[in-house]
Amino acid sequence: MTENFKAQILNKSDMGRIITRLAHEILEKNRGLEKLVLIGLRTRGAYLAERISHKIQEIEGREVPTGFLDVTLYRDDFRTRLKQPSVEVTNIPFAIDEENIVLIDDVLYTGRTIRAALDALMDFGRPARIYLAILVDRGHRELPIKADFVGKNIPTSFGEEIKVKLQEIDGEDSVNLIDISN
Amino acid sequence: MKFTKDVSKGQEGFQKLPEKLILKHARVIDPGQNLDDVLDIYLVNGVIERVEKIDPLNFDGEVLDLDGKLVSPGWMDMHVHLREPGREDEETIKSGSLTAANGGFTALCCMPDTMPAIDTQEIILYIKDRARGSLVEVHPIGAITKKREGLELAEILDLVEQGAVAISDDTVPVMSAEIMRRALEYSRMAGIPVVAFEEDTTMTSSSYMNEGYTSTCLGLEGIPSVAEEIMIARDIMLTEYSGSRLHIAHISTRKGVELVRQAKAQGIAVTAEVTPHHIALTEESVRSFDTNTKVRPPLRTGEDVEALLEGLRDGTIDAIASDHSPHAWEEKASEYIYAPFGVIGLETALGISVGELVHKKVLDIAGLITKYAINPYRILGLPYPAIMKGHLANLSIFDLDAEWKFDPARSLSKSSNSPFVGRRLKGKPFAVINNRQYFRSIL
Amino acid sequence: MLKSRHLLGLDGMEKPEIELLLNTARSFREILDRPIKRVPTLQGKTVVNLFYEPSTRTRISFELAEKRMSADIVNFSAGTSSVKKGESLIDTVKNIEAMKIDMVVVRHSSPGAAHLLSQVLDANIINAGDGGHEHPTQALLDMMTIRERFGNLAKLTIGLIGDISHSRVALSNIFGLKAMGARVLVCGPSTLIPRGIERLGVEVFHNIDEVIPQVDVLNILRLQLERQKSGLFPSLREYHNFFGITRERLERAEKPILIMHPGPMNRGLEISSHVADSEHSVILEQVTNGIALRMAVLYLLAGGKSEIH
């Protein structure tokens, strides 16, 4: 399978604007910081959560509790894989009972990762409610899951993939559309 | 892995020995007569009529073309465990004899660790009776002590009178120096050697392999080489003191070889044998935890193997014997510490020895034949089967260069506990002739 | 990714594999602090704990790790005596495998028992201790605990104290620590140091007071009391006086030394109570880490095997 660049969807400044907008939308919907916590999904959702967390602190002048969740152990494709993906540290250093959680990930696709994340969160406690914030929604849901905050909707076909790159691990900020259909 | 073997197996190897037979074009080697030439051997009713270049037109009789093969005086494996009476599921006198024939031997010595032990006339007579008429001659070795308990001497004169060719408590070393001294003295009177398994068992309880770096890596308690050397030294001194004859079974360590070398230089009547597995394998093969690497004495280090080869080269080690030790599959297919010691070896002895010694130029072919066909007889005080006019034909015929792999399905042993399964061997038994019978190896 | 489908030992295991195991275990450690200490990862997998030697803590640790991973568990314990008389090990495990199981955790008194099972079974085999040979999960959890404190194993000096000859914990630690580039000292009575151990790259000492100033970590091995009866050292009293780790000995060191023990401890023999309970002792952290480490092993070995055949 060859990967061919098709189009750039977002560049660095687009992403900066989206982070700012998502921070505002979250605060607006939650009516401030009351009981608000952010949980980013490893790997790239965690960095997005950190960015949104910083932005909220800029806006509100106060820190919002931010944690990181690795959902590998909750995935439903464990038995069909031969190789185990590496597991990263989950770090949620606060109780989530009765909190309003914003779950943050980079791409929303089939919805299975979010399903796993919801299961995982239930093992940590009983939140008041869970929102979902997503940088890119590319469609093709296989489960009844919908994002509350969406950076950008990008309808894709099956031969396409969304490649999110973040400064923290990829050395640049960009979202590209990739052709993987041979 | 197979559990049982067809009891009638091996009969297909027997072929009728024609009344008149010419073994043609064979390289005939009899080191006892300094004979090494391409000659024809003319047999009439299984007796050697002539050994010379014969024009076949002048003779009637069947011709067996042995071009490319070697004919040697019949080989003896002087250290075989036949398991009968007692463990006939593992080997019988009949199956063991057939196995020996299949491996290129015409004679074997069977060790006394049967159940009951070969410590009375009756057992000797039983074995002789079971082996009567066999192509392979079965020479029993009697026990040193009653029930091989190391406490009281067995009736050694009785045993020898009925045909025991030596005495040994093999697998159980005689720990009492006093008993060993008396055994040596008593056997001197009987004119036979004492065959000693040399291991100080006070040092080796619950141990499973050679002690050293590898045993440390594997967490297996070790059998130190010094446990063998202490006993070799003791028995050499007792032999000198009592003026007797000592034969050291399956010597395995460098210092042990050195002790025998020194004793021989001093004129002490000591001889020694080594097994094919001790020269072909080292302790490193235990890393597989294959229970067919569990033998006693244990597989030693590469340095010990070098010393064993040097001992064979310079004559310190007189003979090679397989220590053929059949064990039931279910006993070997167990945890390493619970598995019994020992491997079968009658059918791989020739291939291993030719490959490791002749092709690797440790011994020439006459030297190897000496270790198998001449020295074992000499050690036991028996005449070796010289290839000579008027003698009953007692011959081992083999192919020096044939390459093959040992396949337990072609083995005639009732057991299959070999460490050499699947190993590439060079040098293969072809046939044996003895007691007016001809057996073509089916390996 | 691990090279083998089994965890039989650390002999021959290279640094990247050990790092993968330790990193994965570090990620699993947090699960043990959750309100619901369970992840669904091994749902539908059946693990058999096959213990031919009595071992309470290792079995409990494996069992908890399996439960935390949502595996189905079967426990089989057999005394050594019944093994010798009764059914062979191979027959026992083949019977168990015929009941459709996925993984076997085996503890056995014979070195090589786990190797034997890996040759006759399709299941993943985890060695939970085979005689005096290896105890890989113990050594990995020891390394995990050391790394938690120091970050990196490569620049550390670790002292293994006690009966090196009969210790699978010592042997697995030596293989693992050497692969990670640590300096390893072993110290004990000369009758309890096996021949050829130097060839594994360790330094041998018989004077504990020479070892203490050099080490960052002391891993104190359990002394099996029957070794005294078999004549390997004269008395427990003498052993304690010359090899026991006491506060007085440790106070002579310039820097604090991390104290470890695989348990169960003989307090007052190889380790004094003061040392065992001191602030530098991580003996209970070892126990906690043991569960995370064993979860990581289960996770990394349990691929989608059941879909293959």
Side-chain angles (χ1 to χ4, degrees), chain B residues 211 216 218-219 335 337-338, chain C residues 80 108 110 132-133 166 171 195:
Chain B
E211 181 175 273
T216 293
L218 299 181
E335 298 90 321
I337 63 171
Y338 297 140
Chain C
T80 317
H108 197 288
S110 178
H133 183 215
H166 304 89
L171 199 51
R195 292 175 81 81

Side-chain angles (χ1 to χ4, degrees), chain B residues 236-255:
Chain B
I236 284 172
M237 294 172 90
L238 289 173
T239 301
E240 181 182 28
Y241 188 71
S242 56
S244 321
R245 281 203 290 138
L246 174 72
H247 176 68
I248 295 167
H250 37 56
I251 195 167
S252 74
T253 77
R254 181 176 62 80
K255 280 196 180 144

Side-chain angles (χ1 to χ4, degrees), chain B residues 14 31 40 103 125 178 202 206 208 247 254 287 332 342 359 361 374 409 427:
Chain B
F14 284 106
D40 301 332
L125 290 169
E178 165 63 13
T202 62
S206 323
Y208 313 98
H247 176 68
R254 181 176 62 80
R287 284 183 181 275
K332 275 290 196 181
H359 289 303
K361 306 206 182 307
I374 296 183

